[in-house]
Amino acid sequence: TLRVGRGSNIDFTVDNAESANWMAEDIDFECQGCVSNSFAAESETEVLVELTDENGCIYNFTIFIELSAGPVTAPNMITPNGDRFNEFLVFDGLEEFPEHQLVVINRWGDIVLETNDYKNDWNAQLDGQDLPDGVYYYILQYGKDAPNEFVLDGDVLVIRTR
């Protein structure tokens, strides 16, 4: 199983094969018979590959393509304690997606942050006051053309102790 973000370009090269036939329902491969191929992952699918080695032996295998939440990732903990390390909830890759919406809630379901213009700058404060240490939950919707193309949700642990 290969887990990638929607639209990710996937390059495959098969060693020790003379030729390879690539098959999938919704993928147009660049080259049939080639031992190298690439495609963009637009949906979850199964890629069937039939290899022929130098002796004419045929081998079959399947690659399962699963889509992840997309190319943006998030930490599972921040430590906004003034030591300049892990001070903020930083979504790596978010700068590539101008359309986004972020909601952060506490364990009681209260919204502590809601924004359409997140700058990777939340340090577990609300109205300038430190929020208690603990687990907070986020829902990040983002995309290139629409803010809900991808959804990344999860939790982040806030610990201030030095």
Side-chain angles (χ1 to χ4, degrees):
T1 299
L2 180 63
R3 192 166 173 81
V4 298
R6 183 181 309 276
S8 296
N9 194 47
I10 299 172
D11 297 307
F12 283 114
T13 299
V14 181
D15 294 328
N16 301 321
E18 292 294 311
S19 67
N21 289 318
W22 306 80
M23 298 160 275
E25 272 187 31
D26 53 354
I27 298 173
D28 291 324
F29 292 100
E30 292 179 4
C31 181
Q32 281 300 335
C34 297
V35 295
S36 294
N37 230 317
S38 65
F39 62 92
E42 297 298 336
S43 63
E44 294 190 352
T45 192
E46 293 180 12
V47 177
L48 306 172
V49 184
E50 181 181 271
L51 304 175
T52 305
D53 69 11
E54 62 189 22
N55 299 317
C57 296
I58 297 174
Y59 304 90
N60 294 297
F61 68 94
T62 303
I63 304 164
F64 299 96
I65 307 294
E66 290 183 0
L67 297 182
S68 66
V72 173
T73 60
N76 62 359
M77 181 176 68
I78 62 172
T79 57
N81 56 15
D83 68 359
R84 299 185 325 182
F85 297 101
N86 303 314
E87 296 288 314
F88 304 100
L89 176 58
V90 175
F91 293 95
D92 289 329
L94 186 61
E95 63 279 357
E96 300 295 321
F97 297 92
E99 298 292 328
H100 59 269
Q101 183 176 42
L102 174 65
V103 176
V104 178
I105 61 174
N106 63 20
R107 63 182 173 180
W108 298 283
D110 301 321
I111 295 174
V112 297
L113 176 67
E114 186 171 20
T115 181
N116 291 329
D117 188 31
Y118 187 61
K119 304 287 189 219
N120 282 330
D121 58 355
W122 185 66
N123 60 354
Q125 289 189 342
L126 178 63
D127 298 326
Q129 300 296 312
D130 288 347
L131 292 167
D133 288 5
V135 177
Y136 292 81
Y137 304 92
Y138 60 83
I139 301 169
L140 175 66
Q141 296 180 341
Y142 63 99
K144 293 226 184 247
D145 301 316
N148 60 352
E149 188 175 349
F150 300 110
V151 176
L152 177 64
D153 59 350
D155 57 78
V156 61
L157 177 62
V158 173
I159 300 177
R160 284 200 172 74
T161 309
R162 288 184 190 222

